[in-house]
C-alpha cells in the first residue's frame, strides 16, 4: 500500500508539472498583449512599454517560462498584473470561501444522496422507489444557476430569511453573517449534486443486491437488512467512491457559477475576473491550485477505494 | 450652471419620493425629542453602497480602474481642486491661486490646518510628490499626458506650490482635480491609504467590500453619516437583489433598463436620473472613402432616428445629443437640431455626394451590450437609404488592437465615458482620424486661452463645427441612474468621472 501511495504521489506531481506547462503555453497562445489590456484605451506607446516592462511581458517567452518555473519551485505564484498583490495570498483568502462552500455542499449532498439512493434501490420495485428516481432525474436536469436564482427568489426576496448574496467584510470574524451568506450557495450545489449522486448510489446498490454473495449471505441466515449493511453497502461503495472523487472535483469548478450568482469572493470569481483582465498570474494560480485539488481528490478516492476493497490492494501488490 | 431639463426632472422626482418619509421622521423626532435640535436623519447610521466596480488596488496611478475613483475621490483623498457633481471646478485644498500673465506659472496657496489621516500636516512637498506620482514614468494615470506640460514644481515654503508649465494650460486646475494629494511619507498605497479626505479606510476585503469611517481630524465639515461601505458585486442581478432585500442602501449605476421596473413603481425606493458623460456613438474612419466626405456623414446622421433607438434601449431614460459634448461639459450647446432625423434629405445628400445607389461598409461591433443591438438598428435604418451595413462582432481586445491602434476599420461602435473629451476631435491621429484644421486649431488653442470664458467660447465653436461636419454619428447619452431606498438622500446624481461623494449622504430612521 505504501509503495502504491508513493507511486501515485509521483504521478500526481508529474501531472501537476505538465498542467503548469500546458497552462503557461495556452495562455500565451491568446492573441494580444496583457499590457494593452492593463493600461487600457487611450494609453500611449510609452505607457504600454512601461506596463510591459513592469509585468515582464517584454521578455522572450523562454525567459518568461523559466522565471515562471523557478518561482513555482519556490511555491511562488507571482504577483497579479492588475492588483500587484501576491497571487498566493489572494488565493488563500479566496479558498477560505470556496473550500468550505464546496466541502459543506459535498457533505450535505452525501447525507442526502446515500440514504435516498439506498432506499431507491431497496424499494426499486415499489412506487416509493419510483418517486425517488423521478425526483433525482428532475434534480439532474436542473441547471445550477437556475436553482440558485430560484432559491434567492424564494428565501431572500420573498421570505427574507437569508441574504441574497455577498460575503461579510470581516469574513469569518463575523461568523453569524458569514454562515448566513453560505446557506443558499451550499444548498444550491448540494441539491443538484445529490440528485446525480443518488442515481449512482442506487445503480451500484441495485447491482450488489442482485449479486450472488448477498443471496449466499441470506441463505446462510443473514436477515435482509443485515446482509445489506454487512456486505451490500461496502461493496456498493467502491464504484461510488470513484464517482464521488469526480463529483467533488466538479464542485470546485461548479463554484465558478455559484459564486457568480451569489457574488461570493471565492476562487471562481477570481478566475472570471482574471480572464476578463488577462491577469495571467491570477489565472495560472487559480487553475494550478484547482488542478492540485482535483488531483488530490482523485488520489484520496483511489486510496479509499483500496481500503474498502482488499481485491484492489492485492492487485496493487502484484 | 443652469440645470438641464433632465437634471431638473430628476430632482423633482427625487424630491417627491423622498419627502414623505423625511417629514414623518421629522415629526416623529420632534414629538419624542426632549432637548436639542430635531434632525431629519440619523448621524450614527452607516451607509452601504452597492457597486459593480471593485477597485483592483487602491492606487489610482497603478491601474486600479474606475472603482477607485468611485470609492476614494473626495472621500479618502482630495485634490487641490474638486470637480463638483455639477461639472464645475472648485478649489479644495487650495485657499487661493494666481496665474502669471503669460499663463506659464501657477502659484497655489494651501489651506491651513489640514492633516493627513496618519497625522502628518499637509505641506507643499506633499503636493509636489503627489503631482509627480501622476507624471512618473511608470504611472498609469489617465491624466499623465494632460499633465505632461508641467515643466517643474517648486515648494518655496510649506504653504506655497509653484507649478511652471512648458506652454499655457487653462485646464490645469481641472486636470489637478484628478490628482490625489497623498502624504509623501506613504510609499506604497496599493493596499493602504494616507489622504486628507473626510473618511479613512477601515478595511478592504478583496472581492467583497471596502469600508471607511469618518476621519476625526478632518479639516472640513464632518460627514452626515457614520461611515460608508462599498459592497461589490460581480453580477447586476445580485446587486439589485441586495437593494431589494435591504442589504445595501444605494446602487451607484444601473446598467440595464430591465431591472428598473423593480424599483420605479415601488414607494420604498427612489430612482434618480442624473446627467452622465457616457456617449454611444458610431465612429467612422474619417480617413477613408466615403467617410472622408462630410456630406456623406451628414446624410447618414439624418438617416437614423436616434430618438427611436434611445427609446428602444432605455425607455424613458437617457438623453439625445447633437454632438460629442454632454450637458455637464462647459461648452455644451443644444445641437440636436443639426443633421436631425430626415431620411428624405439623407437620400438627396447621398446622391449629391455621388452615391445615388448608396454604398456598403462593415461596422465593427464590440460584443457587449448595447452595441450589438445598436448595430442591428443602424443596419435597418441605413438600409432604408440604400446603405448596406455588414455587422462584424469583435471583442474588446480586438477593438483595441484592430481599431484603436491599427486604425484598420470602416466604422465602429463605442461608448466614450470621459468628461470633457471633445479634445479627441482635435487630434488627427486619434482612431477615428477626424482632421479639420480649424477644429484642431480651436482645441489646441483653447488650452492657451487667457480666461475660462475664452476657452469656453473656443470649444463651443469647435463643438458646433464637429456637429455640422457630422464627424461621427452621436447616437445618445447614457442615463446615469442611481437607485436608493427612499430613506436615503444626499448622494451625488451625476457621478462625473465615476466619483461618488459620500460625506453628505443622510439616512433617516
Amino acid at each position: 500500500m505504501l509503495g502504491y501511495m508513493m507511486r501515485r504521489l509521483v504521478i500526481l506531481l508529474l501531472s501537476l508539472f505538465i498542467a503548469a506547462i500546458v497552462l503557461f503555453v495556452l495562455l500565451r497562445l491568446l492573441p494580444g498583449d496583457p499590457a494593452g489590456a492593463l493600461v487600457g484605451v487611450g494609453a500611449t506607446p510609452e505607457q504600454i512599454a512601461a506596463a510591459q516592462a513592469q509585468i515582464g511581458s517584454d521578455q522572450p517567452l523562454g525567459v518568461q517560462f523559466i522565471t515562471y518555473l523557478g518561482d513555482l519551485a519556490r511555491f511562488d505564484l507571482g504577483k497579479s498584473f492588475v492588483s500587484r498583490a501576491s497571487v498566493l495570498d489572494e488565493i488563500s483568502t479566496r479558498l477560505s470561501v470556496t473550500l468550505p462552500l464546496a466541502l459543506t455542499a459535498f457533505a450535505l449532498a452525501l447525507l442526502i444522496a446515500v440514504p435516498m439512493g439506498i432506499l431507491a434501490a431497496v424499494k426499486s420495485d415499489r412506487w416509493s422507489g419510483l418517486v425517488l428516481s423521478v425526483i433525482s432525474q428532475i434534480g439532474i436536469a436542473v441547471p445550477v444557476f437556475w436553482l440558485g436564482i430560484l432559491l434567492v427568489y424564494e428565501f431572500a426576496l420573498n421570505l427574507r430569511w437569508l441574504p441574497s448574496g455577498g460575503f461579510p467584510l470581516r469574513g469569518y470574524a463575523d461568523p453569524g453573517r458569514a454562515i448566513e451568506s453560505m446557506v443558499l450557495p451550499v444548498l444550491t450545489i448540494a441539491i443538484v449534486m445529490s440528485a446525480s449522486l443518488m442515481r449512482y448510489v442506487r445503480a451500484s446498490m441495485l447491482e450488489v443486491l442482485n449479486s450472488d454473495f448477498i443471496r449466499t449471505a441470506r441463505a446462510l441466515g443473514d436477515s435482509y437488512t443485515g446482509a445489506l449493511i454487512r456486505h451490500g453497502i461496502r461493496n456498493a461503495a467502491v464504484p461510488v467512491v470513484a464517482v464521488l472523487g469526480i463529483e467533488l472535483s466538479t464542485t470546485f469548478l461548479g463554484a465558478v457559477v455559484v459564486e457568480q450568482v451569489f457574488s461570493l469572493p471565492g476562487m471562481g470569481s477570481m478566475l472570471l475576473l482574471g480572464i476578463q483582465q488577462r491577469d495571467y498570474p491570477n489565472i495560472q494560480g487559480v487553475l494550478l491550485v484547482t488542478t492540485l485539488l482535483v488531483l488530490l481528490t482523485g488520489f484520496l478516492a483511489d486510496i479509499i477505494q483500496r481500503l474498502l476493497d482488499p481485491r484492489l490492494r492485492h492487485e496493487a501488490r502484484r | 450652471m443652469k440645470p438641464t431639463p433632465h437634471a431638473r426632472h430628476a430632482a423633482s422626482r427625487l424630491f417627491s419620493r423622498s419627502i414623505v418619509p423625511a417629514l414623518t421622521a421629522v415629526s416623529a423626532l420632534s414629538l419624542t425629542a426632549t432637548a436639542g435640535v430635531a434632525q431629519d436623519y440619523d448621524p450614527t447610521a452607516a451607509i452601504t453602497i452597492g457597486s459593480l466596480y471593485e477597485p483592483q488596488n487602491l492606487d489610482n496611478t497603478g491601474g486600479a480602474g474606475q472603482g477607485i475613483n468611485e470609492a476614494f475621490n473626495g472621500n479618502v483623498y482630495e485634490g487641490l481642486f474638486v470637480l463638483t457633481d455639477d461639472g464645475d471646478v472648485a478649489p479644495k485644498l487650495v485657499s487661493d491661486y494666481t496665474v502669471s500673465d503669460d499663463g506659464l506659472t501657477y502659484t497655489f496657496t494651501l489651506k491651513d490646518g489640514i492633516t493627513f489621516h496618519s497625522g502628518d500636516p499637509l505641506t507643499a512637498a506633499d503636493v509636489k510628490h503627489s503631482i509627480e506620482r501622476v507624471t512618473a514614468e511608470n504611472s498609469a494615470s489617465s491624466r499623465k499626458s494632460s499633465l505632461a506640460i508641467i515643466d517643474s514644481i517648486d515648494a518655496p515654503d510649506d504653504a506655497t506650490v509653484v507649478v511652471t508649465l512648458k506652454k499655457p494650460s487653462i485646464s490645469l486646475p481641472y486636470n489637478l482635480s484628478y490628482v490625489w494629494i497623498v502624504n509623501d511619507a506613504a510609499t506604497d498605497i496599493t493596499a493602504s491609504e494616507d489622504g486628507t479626505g473626510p473618511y479613512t479606510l477601515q478595511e478592504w476585503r478583496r472581492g467583497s467590500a471596502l469600508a471607511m469611517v469618518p476621519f476625526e481630524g478632518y479639516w472640513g465639515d464632518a460627514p452626515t453619516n457614520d461611515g460608508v461601505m462599498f459592497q461589490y458585486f460581480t453580477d447586476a442581478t445580485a446587486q439589485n437583489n441586495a437593494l431589494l432585500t435591504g442589504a445595501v442602501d444605494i446602487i451607484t449605476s444601473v446598467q440595464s433598463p430591465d431591472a428598473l421596473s423593480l424599483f420605479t413603481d415601488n414607494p420604498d425606493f427612489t430612482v434618480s436620473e442624473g446627467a452622465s458623460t457616457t456617449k454611444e456613438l458610431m465612429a467612422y474612419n474619417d480617413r477613408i472613402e466615403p467617410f472622408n466626405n462630410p456630406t456623406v456623414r451628414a446624410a447618414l446622421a439624418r438617416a437614423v432616428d436616434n430618438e427611436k433607438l434611445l427609446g428602444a434601449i432605455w425607455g424613458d431614460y437617457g438623453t439625445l445629443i447633437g454632438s460629442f459634448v454632454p450637458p455637464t461639459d462647459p461648452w455644451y450647446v443644444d445641437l440636436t437640431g443639426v443633421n436631425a432625423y430626415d431620411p428624405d434629405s439623407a437620400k438627396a445628400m447621398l446622391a449629391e455626394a455621388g452615391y445615388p445607389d448608396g454604398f456598403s461598409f462593415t461596422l465593427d461591433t464590440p460584443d457587449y451590450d448595447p452595441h450589438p443591438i445598436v448595430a442591428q438598428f443602424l443596419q435597418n435604418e441605413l438600409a432604408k437609404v440604400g446603405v448596406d451595413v455588414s455587422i462584424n462582432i469583435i471583442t474588446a481586445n480586438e477593438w483595441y488592437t484592430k481599431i484603436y491602434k491599427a486604425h484598420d476599420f470602416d466604422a465602429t461602435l463605442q461608448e466614450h465615458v470621459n468628461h470633457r473629451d471633445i479634445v479627441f476631435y482635435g487630434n488627427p491621429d486619434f482612431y477615428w482620424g477626424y482632421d479639420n484644421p480649424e477644429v484642431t486649431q480651436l482645441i489646441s488653442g483653447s488650452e492657451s486661452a487667457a480666461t475660462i470664458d475664452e476657452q469656453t467660447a473656443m470649444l463651443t465653436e469647435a463643438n458646433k463645427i464637429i456637429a455640422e461636419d457630422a464627424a461621427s454619428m452621436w447616437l445618445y447619452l447614457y442615463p446615469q441612474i442611481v437607485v436608493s431606498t427612499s430613506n436615503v438622500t444626499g448622494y451625488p446624481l451625476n457621478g462625473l468621472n465615476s466619483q461618488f461623494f459620500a460625506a453628505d449622504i443622510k439616512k433617516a430612521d
Side-chain angles (χ1 to χ4, degrees), chain B residues 443-499:
Chain B
I443 288 176
S444 60
S446 71
E447 267 308 281
S448 324
T451 63
I452 300 275
D453 286 345
E454 193 189 322
Q455 177 201 25
T456 306
M458 289 172 87
L459 290 177
T460 309
E461 183 59 26
N463 183 13
K464 287 178 181 163
I465 298 172
I466 62 165
E468 293 289 346
D469 258 2
S472 305
M473 189 190 288
W474 305 284
L475 297 163
Y476 59 83
L477 194 64
Y478 284 47
Q480 161 71 24
I481 296 173
V482 179
V483 186
S484 73
T485 55
S486 48
N487 61 340
V488 172
T489 54
Y491 44 84
L493 292 183
N494 297 334
L496 297 181
N497 179 25
S498 310
Q499 299 178 125

Coordinates of all heavy atoms in Angstrom, one line a residue, chain B residues 443-499:
Chain B
I443 N -9.1 73.7 -30.7 CA -9.0 72.8 -29.5 C -7.6 73.0 -28.9 O -7.5 73.2 -27.7 CB -9.3 71.4 -29.8 CG1 -10.8 71.2 -30.0 CG2 -8.8 70.4 -28.7 CD1 -11.2 69.9 -30.5
S444 N -6.5 73.0 -29.7 CA -5.2 73.2 -29.1 C -5.1 74.6 -28.6 O -4.4 74.9 -27.6 CB -4.1 72.8 -30.1 OG -4.2 73.6 -31.3
G445 N -5.6 75.6 -29.4 CA -5.5 77.0 -29.0 C -6.3 77.3 -27.7 O -5.9 78.1 -26.9
S446 N -7.3 76.5 -27.4 CA -8.2 76.8 -26.2 C -7.4 76.5 -24.9 O -7.6 77.2 -23.9 CB -9.4 75.9 -26.2 OG -9.1 74.6 -25.9
E447 N -6.3 75.7 -25.0 CA -5.5 75.4 -23.8 C -4.7 76.7 -23.4 O -4.4 76.9 -22.3 CB -4.6 74.3 -24.0 CG -5.1 72.9 -23.6 CD -5.6 72.9 -22.2 OE1 -4.8 72.9 -21.2 OE2 -6.8 73.0 -22.0
S448 N -4.4 77.5 -24.5 CA -3.6 78.7 -24.2 C -4.5 79.9 -23.9 O -4.1 81.1 -23.9 CB -2.7 79.0 -25.3 OG -2.2 77.9 -25.9
A449 N -5.8 79.7 -23.8 CA -6.8 80.8 -23.7 C -6.4 81.6 -22.4 O -5.9 81.0 -21.4 CB -8.2 80.3 -23.6
A450 N -6.7 82.9 -22.4 CA -6.4 83.7 -21.2 C -7.4 83.5 -20.1 O -7.0 83.6 -18.9 CB -6.3 85.2 -21.7
T451 N -8.6 83.3 -20.5 CA -9.6 83.2 -19.5 C -10.5 81.9 -19.7 O -10.5 81.4 -20.8 CB -10.6 84.4 -19.5 OG1 -11.3 84.4 -20.8 CG2 -9.9 85.7 -19.3
I452 N -11.2 81.5 -18.7 CA -12.1 80.4 -18.8 C -13.2 80.7 -19.9 O -13.5 79.8 -20.7 CB -12.8 80.0 -17.5 CG1 -11.7 79.7 -16.4 CG2 -13.8 78.9 -17.6 CD1 -11.2 78.3 -16.4
D453 N -13.6 81.9 -19.9 CA -14.7 82.3 -20.8 C -14.2 82.1 -22.3 O -14.9 81.6 -23.1 CB -15.1 83.8 -20.6 CG -16.0 83.9 -19.4 OD1 -16.4 82.8 -18.9 OD2 -16.2 85.0 -18.9
E454 N -12.9 82.6 -22.5 CA -12.4 82.5 -23.8 C -12.3 81.0 -24.2 O -12.6 80.6 -25.4 CB -11.0 83.2 -23.9 CG -10.5 83.4 -25.3 CD -9.0 83.9 -25.2 OE1 -8.7 84.7 -24.3 OE2 -8.3 83.5 -26.1
Q455 N -11.8 80.2 -23.3 CA -11.6 78.7 -23.5 C -13.0 78.2 -23.9 O -13.2 77.4 -24.9 CB -11.1 78.0 -22.3 CG -11.0 76.5 -22.4 CD -10.9 75.8 -21.1 OE1 -11.4 76.3 -20.1 NE2 -10.3 74.6 -21.1
T456 N -14.0 78.5 -23.1 CA -15.4 78.0 -23.3 C -15.9 78.4 -24.7 O -16.4 77.6 -25.4 CB -16.3 78.5 -22.2 OG1 -15.7 78.2 -21.0 CG2 -17.7 77.9 -22.3
A457 N -15.6 79.7 -25.1 CA -16.1 80.2 -26.4 C -15.4 79.4 -27.5 O -16.1 79.0 -28.5 CB -15.8 81.6 -26.5
M458 N -14.1 79.1 -27.4 CA -13.4 78.4 -28.4 C -13.9 77.0 -28.6 O -14.1 76.5 -29.7 CB -11.9 78.5 -28.2 CG -11.3 79.8 -28.4 SD -9.6 79.9 -27.8 CE -8.7 79.3 -29.3
L459 N -14.1 76.3 -27.4 CA -14.5 74.9 -27.5 C -16.0 74.8 -27.9 O -16.4 73.8 -28.6 CB -14.3 74.2 -26.2 CG -12.8 74.0 -25.9 CD1 -12.6 73.4 -24.5 CD2 -12.1 73.1 -27.0
T460 N -16.8 75.8 -27.6 CA -18.2 75.8 -28.1 C -18.2 75.9 -29.6 O -19.0 75.2 -30.3 CB -19.0 77.0 -27.5 OG1 -18.8 77.0 -26.0 CG2 -20.4 76.9 -27.8
E461 N -17.3 76.7 -30.1 CA -17.2 76.9 -31.5 C -16.8 75.5 -32.2 O -17.4 75.1 -33.2 CB -16.2 78.0 -31.9 CG -16.0 78.3 -33.3 CD -17.2 78.8 -34.0 OE1 -18.1 79.3 -33.3 OE2 -17.3 78.6 -35.2
A462 N -15.8 74.9 -31.6 CA -15.3 73.6 -32.1 C -16.5 72.6 -32.1 O -16.7 71.8 -33.0 CB -14.1 73.1 -31.3
N463 N -17.2 72.6 -31.0 CA -18.3 71.7 -30.8 C -19.3 71.9 -31.9 O -19.8 70.9 -32.5 CB -19.0 72.0 -29.4 CG -20.1 71.1 -29.1 OD1 -20.3 70.1 -29.7 ND2 -20.9 71.5 -28.1
K464 N -19.6 73.2 -32.3 CA -20.6 73.4 -33.4 C -20.1 72.9 -34.7 O -20.8 72.3 -35.5 CB -20.9 74.9 -33.5 CG -21.8 75.4 -32.3 CD -22.0 76.9 -32.4 CE -22.8 77.4 -31.3 NZ -22.7 78.9 -31.2
I465 N -18.8 73.1 -34.9 CA -18.2 72.7 -36.2 C -18.2 71.1 -36.4 O -18.6 70.6 -37.4 CB -16.7 73.2 -36.4 CG1 -16.7 74.7 -36.4 CG2 -16.1 72.7 -37.7 CD1 -15.3 75.3 -36.3
I466 N -17.9 70.4 -35.3 CA -17.9 68.9 -35.5 C -19.3 68.5 -35.7 O -19.6 67.5 -36.4 CB -17.2 68.2 -34.3 CG1 -17.9 68.4 -33.0 CG2 -15.7 68.5 -34.2 CD1 -17.5 67.4 -31.9
A467 N -20.3 69.2 -35.1 CA -21.7 68.8 -35.3 C -22.1 69.0 -36.8 O -22.7 68.1 -37.4 CB -22.6 69.5 -34.4
E468 N -21.8 70.2 -37.3 CA -22.1 70.5 -38.7 C -21.4 69.5 -39.6 O -21.9 69.0 -40.6 CB -21.6 71.9 -39.1 CG -22.3 73.0 -38.4 CD -23.8 73.2 -38.9 OE1 -24.1 72.6 -40.0 OE2 -24.6 73.9 -38.3
D469 N -20.1 69.1 -39.3 CA -19.3 68.2 -40.1 C -19.7 66.7 -39.9 O -19.2 65.9 -40.6 CB -17.8 68.3 -39.6 CG -17.0 69.1 -40.5 OD1 -17.6 69.6 -41.5 OD2 -15.8 69.3 -40.3
A470 N -20.6 66.5 -39.0 CA -21.0 65.1 -38.6 C -19.8 64.2 -38.5 O -19.7 63.1 -39.1 CB -22.0 64.6 -39.6
A471 N -18.8 64.7 -37.7 CA -17.5 64.0 -37.6 C -17.7 62.5 -37.2 O -17.0 61.6 -37.7 CB -16.7 64.7 -36.5
S472 N -18.7 62.2 -36.3 CA -19.0 60.9 -36.0 C -20.6 60.9 -35.9 O -21.2 61.9 -36.0 CB -18.5 60.4 -34.7 OG -17.1 60.6 -34.6
M473 N -21.2 59.7 -35.7 CA -22.6 59.7 -35.5 C -22.9 59.5 -34.0 O -22.7 58.4 -33.5 CB -23.3 58.6 -36.3 CG -24.8 58.6 -36.3 SD -25.6 57.2 -37.0 CE -25.2 57.4 -38.7
W474 N -23.3 60.6 -33.4 CA -23.5 60.5 -31.9 C -24.9 60.1 -31.7 O -25.9 60.8 -32.1 CB -23.3 61.9 -31.3 CG -21.9 62.4 -31.6 CD1 -20.7 62.0 -31.1 CD2 -21.5 63.3 -32.6 NE1 -19.6 62.6 -31.7 CE2 -20.1 63.5 -32.6 CE3 -22.3 64.1 -33.5 CZ2 -19.4 64.3 -33.5 CZ3 -21.6 65.0 -34.4 CH2 -20.2 65.1 -34.3
L475 N -25.1 58.9 -31.1 CA -26.4 58.3 -31.0 C -27.2 58.8 -29.8 O -28.3 59.2 -29.9 CB -26.3 56.8 -31.0 CG -25.6 56.3 -32.3 CD1 -25.1 54.9 -32.2 CD2 -26.6 56.4 -33.5
Y476 N -26.6 58.6 -28.6 CA -27.3 59.1 -27.4 C -26.4 59.2 -26.2 O -25.3 58.6 -26.3 CB -28.5 58.3 -27.1 CG -28.2 56.8 -26.8 CD1 -27.8 56.4 -25.6 CD2 -28.4 55.9 -27.8 CE1 -27.5 55.0 -25.4 CE2 -28.1 54.5 -27.6 CZ -27.7 54.1 -26.4 OH -27.4 52.8 -26.2
L477 N -26.8 59.8 -25.2 CA -26.1 59.9 -23.9 C -26.7 58.9 -23.0 O -27.9 58.9 -22.8 CB -26.2 61.3 -23.4 CG -25.3 61.7 -22.3 CD1 -23.9 61.8 -22.8 CD2 -25.7 63.1 -21.8
Y478 N -25.9 58.0 -22.4 CA -26.5 57.0 -21.5 C -27.1 57.8 -20.3 O -26.6 58.8 -19.9 CB -25.4 56.2 -20.9 CG -24.8 55.1 -21.7 CD1 -24.4 55.3 -23.0 CD2 -24.5 53.8 -21.2 CE1 -23.8 54.3 -23.8 CE2 -23.9 52.8 -22.0 CZ -23.6 53.1 -23.2 OH -23.0 52.1 -24.0
P479 N -28.1 57.2 -19.7 CA -28.6 57.8 -18.4 C -27.6 57.4 -17.3 O -27.0 56.4 -17.4 CB -30.0 57.1 -18.2 CG -29.9 55.8 -19.0 CD -28.9 56.0 -20.1
Q480 N -27.6 58.2 -16.3 CA -26.8 57.9 -15.1 C -27.9 57.7 -14.0 O -28.5 58.6 -13.5 CB -25.9 59.0 -14.7 CG -25.4 59.1 -13.3 CD -24.4 58.0 -13.1 OE1 -23.8 57.5 -14.0 NE2 -24.3 57.6 -11.8
I481 N -28.2 56.4 -13.7 CA -29.3 56.1 -12.8 C -28.8 55.6 -11.4 O -28.0 54.7 -11.4 CB -30.2 55.1 -13.4 CG1 -30.8 55.7 -14.7 CG2 -31.3 54.7 -12.4 CD1 -31.7 54.8 -15.5
V482 N -29.2 56.3 -10.4 CA -28.9 55.8 -9.0 C -30.2 55.4 -8.4 O -31.2 56.2 -8.4 CB -28.2 56.9 -8.2 CG1 -27.8 56.5 -6.8 CG2 -26.9 57.4 -9.0
V483 N -30.2 54.3 -7.7 CA -31.4 53.9 -7.0 C -31.1 53.7 -5.6 O -30.0 53.1 -5.2 CB -32.0 52.5 -7.6 CG1 -33.3 52.2 -6.9 CG2 -32.1 52.6 -9.1
S484 N -31.9 54.2 -4.7 CA -31.7 54.1 -3.3 C -33.0 53.7 -2.6 O -34.0 53.8 -3.1 CB -31.1 55.4 -2.7 OG -32.2 56.3 -2.6
T485 N -32.8 53.2 -1.3 CA -34.0 53.1 -0.5 C -34.5 54.5 -0.2 O -33.7 55.5 -0.2 CB -33.7 52.4 0.8 OG1 -32.7 53.1 1.5 CG2 -33.3 50.9 0.5
S486 N -35.8 54.7 0.0 CA -36.3 56.1 0.0 C -36.0 56.8 1.3 O -36.1 58.1 1.3 CB -37.8 56.1 -0.2 OG -38.4 55.1 0.7
N487 N -35.4 56.2 2.3 CA -34.9 57.0 3.4 C -33.5 57.5 3.3 O -33.0 58.0 4.3 CB -35.1 56.1 4.7 CG -34.3 54.9 4.7 OD1 -33.9 54.4 3.6 ND2 -34.0 54.3 5.9
V488 N -32.9 57.3 2.2 CA -31.5 57.7 2.0 C -31.5 58.9 1.0 O -32.1 58.8 -0.1 CB -30.6 56.6 1.5 CG1 -29.2 57.1 1.1 CG2 -30.5 55.5 2.6
T489 N -30.8 60.0 1.3 CA -30.7 61.1 0.4 C -29.3 61.7 0.5 O -28.5 61.3 1.3 CB -31.7 62.3 0.9 OG1 -31.4 62.5 2.3 CG2 -33.1 61.9 0.7
G490 N -29.1 62.7 -0.4 CA -27.8 63.5 -0.3 C -26.7 62.9 -1.1 O -25.6 63.3 -1.0
Y491 N -27.0 61.9 -1.9 CA -25.9 61.3 -2.7 C -25.8 62.1 -4.1 O -26.8 62.7 -4.5 CB -26.1 59.8 -3.0 CG -27.5 59.4 -3.3 CD1 -28.0 59.5 -4.6 CD2 -28.4 59.0 -2.3 CE1 -29.3 59.2 -4.9 CE2 -29.7 58.7 -2.6 CZ -30.1 58.8 -3.9 OH -31.4 58.4 -4.3
P492 N -24.6 62.0 -4.7 CA -24.4 62.7 -6.0 C -25.2 62.0 -7.1 O -25.3 60.8 -7.1 CB -22.9 62.6 -6.3 CG -22.5 61.4 -5.5 CD -23.4 61.3 -4.3
L493 N -25.8 62.8 -8.0 CA -26.6 62.2 -9.1 C -25.9 62.0 -10.3 O -26.2 61.1 -11.1 CB -27.8 63.2 -9.3 CG -28.8 63.3 -8.2 CD1 -30.0 64.2 -8.7 CD2 -29.3 61.9 -7.8
N494 N -24.9 62.9 -10.6 CA -24.3 62.8 -11.9 C -23.1 61.8 -12.0 O -22.8 61.2 -13.0 CB -23.8 64.2 -12.4 CG -25.0 65.1 -12.6 OD1 -26.1 64.7 -12.8 ND2 -24.8 66.4 -12.4
G495 N -22.4 61.7 -10.8 CA -21.3 60.8 -10.8 C -20.2 61.0 -11.8 O -19.7 60.1 -12.5
L496 N -19.9 62.3 -12.1 CA -18.9 62.7 -13.1 C -17.5 62.0 -12.7 O -17.2 61.9 -11.6 CB -18.7 64.2 -13.1 CG -19.9 65.0 -13.6 CD1 -19.6 66.4 -13.6 CD2 -20.4 64.5 -14.9
N497 N -16.8 61.6 -13.8 CA -15.5 60.9 -13.5 C -15.7 59.8 -12.5 O -14.8 59.5 -11.8 CB -14.5 62.0 -13.0 CG -13.2 61.4 -12.8 OD1 -12.8 60.4 -13.3 ND2 -12.4 62.1 -11.9
S498 N -16.8 59.1 -12.6 CA -17.1 58.0 -11.7 C -17.1 58.3 -10.2 O -17.1 57.4 -9.3 CB -16.2 56.8 -11.9 OG -16.1 56.5 -13.2
Q499 N -17.0 59.6 -9.8 CA -16.9 60.0 -8.4 C -18.2 59.7 -7.7 O -19.3 59.9 -8.3 CB -16.6 61.5 -8.3 CG -15.2 61.8 -8.9 CD -14.9 63.3 -8.8 OE1 -13.9 63.7 -8.4 NE2 -15.8 64.1 -9.3

